[in-house]
Amino acid sequence: MSEGYSRGGSRFAYAIMRIVVGAAFAQHGAQKLLGLFGGMDGAGGSVEILSLMGVAGVIELGGGALVALGMFTRLAALLCSGLMASAYFMAHAGRGFWPIENEGELAVLFCFVFLYIACQGGGALSLGGSRR
């Protein structure tokens, strides 16, 4: 396998990961804010936008969409990473040391994947990259 092929393949693998992770994260915000995917109560309920959960929903929906689209990717991903770090310590860490015990695996994974995306930027297939 040539060096050029390997780099090109990893560029697109990264882009697919960024798009999927951003879209998956945005779904959490849509659930909180719009009551989609069963909402917060399983019956389409949403949260108050001026609450802690509402602010989290705005970051999830907006930040996830920006990451998926590749616009303002570094800033959006850093904000999403910080949200997941704080969510982990506020909602999970007090229930046990290991994420598998305290049900915080998703928060940890999102936190570190978004941190990686913040370091890498939009990359291939990003709308922010096409503006240059």
Side-chain angles (χ1 to χ4, degrees), residues 4-123:
Y5 177 78
S6 175
R7 270 192 242 138
S10 63
R11 282 183 46 232
F12 288 107
Y14 170 77
I16 292 166
M17 182 205 64
R18 176 185 50 77
I19 292 165
V20 168
V21 167
F25 199 64
Q27 291 176 44
H28 289 275
Q31 184 180 42
K32 285 180 182 71
L33 298 176
L34 307 174
L36 299 177
F37 313 111
M40 293 302 292
D41 58 2
S46 59
V47 299
E48 191 67 38
I49 197 161
L50 294 178
S51 67
L52 190 58
M53 291 290 278
V55 171
V58 169
I59 294 170
E60 289 167 349
L61 182 59
L66 287 172
V67 167
L69 294 171
M71 295 185 65
F72 308 106
T73 309
R74 290 180 193 272
L75 179 61
L78 188 61
L79 190 60
C80 292
S81 177
L83 173 67
M84 287 293 92
S86 62
Y88 180 79
F89 287 107
M90 290 173 70
H92 301 284
R95 295 188 288 164
F97 179 76
W98 298 106
I100 192 73
E101 293 175 334
N102 64 33
E103 299 177 350
E105 308 98 325
L106 194 56
V108 170
L109 287 171
F110 270 131
C111 177
F112 283 96
V113 171
F114 279 125
L115 187 58
Y116 177 71
I117 292 170
C119 292
Q120 294 297 311

